[in-house]
């Protein structure tokens, strides 16, 4: 999968993309991450990328020109499955959507800043909008990093068997059951007997019950979906 990220602050991604799972996925050539600084595409003398909102009001709006030129350049080079815009004013991202997006070949992710991008970019180029939660971040970069992380770990070959995504919370629509490791007894706090029994069928049943129980208490809304 190739992921092109369009941003005014490419440095924000340094730490996230050069560590751990995302680093390994790139080393194994499972993903290619490309960061593009929107400002580099501004044809303006001052390299400006934003301007006042028509109609007034606080906050600047990201201009069409540099974003359009950058998207057009990328689209000439290859076909994209999705051109995504990160914004708090849309539906919230979830695991099901992560599963689906993980099957893409090429995606573009546009990170908004200030008051966001000129609506005409959204109307004419963006194929999908993603919010990571009902709160406002300073820009779309952290949200884009969250989406990239949640998608890339689902691509076959990225995670090892021990860290398989199949048993994650949300993967089957439920929260995960509790997990324990050694010691079996820590100052009297004992691990549930069943997990030490060696009976894999019983363990599986226990985990399913606990997952359902936790979901009912903490996130009953997940069971209504
Ligand atoms: N940009 C600012 N806040 C955001 C959010 N919650 N999700 C996605 N992009 C954003």
């Amino acid at each position: 999968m190739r992921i092109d990220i369009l941003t005014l602050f490419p440095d924000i991604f340094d730490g996230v993309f050069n560590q751990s799972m995302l680093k390994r996925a790139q080393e194994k050539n499972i993903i290619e991450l490309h960061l593009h600084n929107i400002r580099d595409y501004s044809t303006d003398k001052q390299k400006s990328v934003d301007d006042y909102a028509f109609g007034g009001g606080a906050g600047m709006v990201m201009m069409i020109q540099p974003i359009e030129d950058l998207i057009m350049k990328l689209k000439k080079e290859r076909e994209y499955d999705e051109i995504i815009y990160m914004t708090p004013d849309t539906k919230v991202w979830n695991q099901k959507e992560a599963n689906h997006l993980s099957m893409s070949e090429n995606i573009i992710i546009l990170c908004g800043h200030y008051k966001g991008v000129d609506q005409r970019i959204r109307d004419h180029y963006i194929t999908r909008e993603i919010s990571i939660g009902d709160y406002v971040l300073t820009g779309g970069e952290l949200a884009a990093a969250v989406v990239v992380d949640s998608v890339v770990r689902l691509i076959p070959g990225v995670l090892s068997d021990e860290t398989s995504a199949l048993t994650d919370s949300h993967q089957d629509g439920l929260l995960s059951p509790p997990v324990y490791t050694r010691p079996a007894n820590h100052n009297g706090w004992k691990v549930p007997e069943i997990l030490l029994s060696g009976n894999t069928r019983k363990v599986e049943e226990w985990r399913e019950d606990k997952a359902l129980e936790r979901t009912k208490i903490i996130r009953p809304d997940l069971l209504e979906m």
Side-chain angles (χ1 to χ4, degrees):
M1 177 191 276
R2 176 183 167 117
I3 305 174
D4 289 276
I5 298 188
L6 284 42
T7 169
L8 289 171
F9 300 96
D11 294 350
I12 293 180
F13 294 94
D14 273 357
V16 187
F17 288 175
N18 297 320
Q19 311 274 333
S20 182
M21 178 275 295
L22 286 172
K23 183 178 178 193
R24 254 182 295 120
Q26 291 173 87
E27 284 168 355
K28 289 188 184 171
N29 290 323
I30 297 173
I31 58 157
E32 263 181 57
L33 291 168
H34 296 269
L35 293 166
H36 307 272
N37 191 334
I38 295 168
R39 198 173 297 279
D40 293 343
Y41 291 81
S42 172
T43 52
D44 184 278
K45 264 206 207 86
Q46 278 83 40
K47 291 273 170 205
S48 38
V49 288
D50 57 345
D51 211 332
Y52 295 101
F54 279 129
M60 305 292 274
V61 177
M62 287 168 73
M63 297 157 81
I64 297 177
Q65 180 272 313
I67 298 171
E68 175 172 64
D69 286 2
L70 178 46
I71 290 178
M72 292 299 283
K73 173 181 134 33
L74 292 171
K75 278 178 66 156
K76 269 198 204 113
E77 291 165 358
R78 69 196 61 76
E79 281 200 18
Y80 285 92
D81 303 270
E82 297 277 13
I83 303 181
I84 297 164
Y85 175 53
M86 302 308 305
T87 174
D89 45 44
T90 191
K91 280 196 307 191
V92 176
W93 181 241
N94 63 30
Q95 190 66 30
K96 196 167 153 208
E97 290 170 3
N99 283 324
H100 191 249
L101 197 63
S102 74
M103 289 180 267
S104 310
E105 277 298 311
N106 303 310
I107 59 171
I108 290 175
I109 304 181
L110 170 63
C111 303
H113 252 268
Y114 318 120
K115 277 281 155 203
V117 299
D118 189 301
Q119 180 61 36
R120 290 166 290 182
I121 286 286
R122 294 169 76 166
D123 293 344
H124 299 286
Y125 290 110
I126 297 301
T127 61
R128 173 166 191 175
E129 300 191 330
I130 296 175
S131 164
I132 62 157
D134 292 332
Y135 42 80
V136 181
L137 302 166
T138 311
E141 284 75 11
L142 294 177
V146 167
V147 167
V148 169
D149 187 291
S150 64
V151 165
V152 171
R153 63 194 297 286
L154 296 170
I155 302 173
V158 172
L159 296 186
S160 61
D161 255 8
E162 311 88 83
T163 51
S164 163
L166 290 175
T167 55
D168 284 341
S169 270
H170 297 289
Q171 198 59 33
D172 56 4
L174 298 176
L175 303 185
S176 290
V179 291
Y180 302 87
T181 186
R182 288 184 300 166
N185 183 345
H186 174 80
N187 300 336
W189 298 344
K190 290 188 187 151
V191 168
E193 208 56 55
I194 191 99
L195 298 178
L196 311 173
S197 69
N199 184 332
T200 39
R201 194 179 51 82
K202 282 257 180 310
V203 168
E204 224 18 73
E205 274 172 23
W206 181 87
R207 287 189 172 143
E208 281 165 23
D209 288 350
K210 287 288 167 190
L212 193 59
E213 188 183 304
R214 255 191 182 177
T215 310
K216 270 186 190 154
I217 295 168
I218 304 170
R219 291 290 306 277
D221 55 299
L222 292 176
L223 299 170
E224 286 152 21
M225 295 201 315

